[in-house]
Amino acid sequence: MILNIKIEVKNKLEAYDIVSRLGLQHKIKEAEFSGKKEVFDQKNKPALFLKNNKTNISKYRSYEFRQKTGTK
């Protein structure tokens, strides 16, 4: 079964916080904010909602990335 909820939020930060918290306890399939819709799966998790996945800091701190770019 699917439950759709619309929540009025003040800003992007509040929207991110709500989706991230709900994602810890429930399996969220998708979320939409200001016309931007994200579908969640194994790779794109609710904790990454509204973040630019290309600049996700955890990816760029990896050992392999540092070796390729010569950063510390």
Side-chain angles (χ1 to χ4, degrees), residues 8-58:
E8 189 171 320
V9 295
K10 296 176 198 168
N11 54 35
K12 184 177 176 178
L13 181 62
E14 187 177 21
Y16 163 77
D17 185 50
I18 290 169
V19 171
S20 294
R21 287 178 188 227
L22 286 173
L24 294 174
Q25 297 178 6
H26 305 282
K27 183 177 180 184
I28 300 177
K29 297 185 101 136
E30 64 186 26
E32 183 177 349
F33 178 74
S34 291
K36 181 179 180 184
K37 183 177 182 179
E38 290 189 38
V39 178
F40 302 115
D41 55 19
Q42 291 294 330
K43 189 174 181 180
N44 186 28
K45 302 195 181 290
L48 300 174
F49 181 58
L50 299 177
K51 290 186 176 182
N52 184 346
N53 290 341
K54 291 181 182 177
T55 59
N56 185 354
I57 194 70
S58 62

